[in-house]
Amino acid sequence: MSLHIINEESGILKEITKDEQKTFGGSKLFYVNDNFDKILVMAVKGSMDGKLNMVVNRLNKINERIYRLNTKIKKGNMEMYLKRKSINDKKDAIVNMINKNLKV
């Protein structure tokens, strides 16, 4: 499977991906190459479906963590805008409009 990680976000996403690739027993559920752009899943014969299902669940978990992080950032941006609203800065009004309407 291929991953699409933008360089600016690579530190956070790499750390989250590293955390999620390990099982409770400490073994790795999947492997990531050095560039963090590909995932390798290895399984014994007949267990690939179950293993892929676990990997997809982990990737969904990563997406949820990223969603929560984006929501936290968006909330912080909104709070900052409300503090600065009295300044009537056009740039802040545009940033606020983007924060309200952009679906990330």
Side-chain angles (χ1 to χ4, degrees):
M1 283 194 262
S2 295
L3 296 174
H4 301 284
I5 296 178
I6 300 168
N7 286 337
E8 294 85 33
E9 303 166 339
S10 64
I12 295 168
L13 291 175
K14 285 179 182 179
E15 196 61 40
I16 291 172
T17 305
K18 257 186 194 176
D19 290 345
E20 291 299 329
Q21 79 183 114
K22 293 188 178 174
T23 63
F24 292 116
S27 60
K28 289 187 178 182
L29 186 58
F30 57 87
Y31 297 87
V32 183
N33 68 348
D34 291 337
N35 295 331
F36 277 79
D37 61 354
K38 293 185 180 160
I39 291 178
L40 172 67
V41 179
M42 296 189 323
V44 295
K45 186 176 179 180
S47 67
M48 183 58 84
D49 291 347
K51 188 90 173 233
L52 283 175
N53 191 31
M54 288 190 288
V55 171
V56 168
N57 286 335
R58 291 293 174 97
L59 294 176
N60 285 335
K61 206 174 188 183
I62 291 169
N63 281 338
E64 287 175 27
R65 287 177 68 181
I66 293 168
Y67 174 79
R68 286 194 303 269
L69 182 63
N70 284 340
T71 302
K72 184 178 176 182
I73 291 168
K74 191 174 179 180
K75 182 180 177 187
N77 288 345
M78 182 60 73
E79 289 172 357
M80 185 61 68
Y81 169 73
L82 292 175
K83 285 179 186 177
R84 295 175 46 105
K85 190 174 182 180
S86 62
I87 298 174
N88 290 329
D89 186 8
K90 187 71 173 172
K91 179 181 167 187
D92 282 342
I94 292 170
V95 169
N96 182 51
M97 185 268 308
I98 291 170
N99 275 328
K100 281 184 176 178
N101 298 312
L102 182 65
K103 303 289 184 212
V104 185

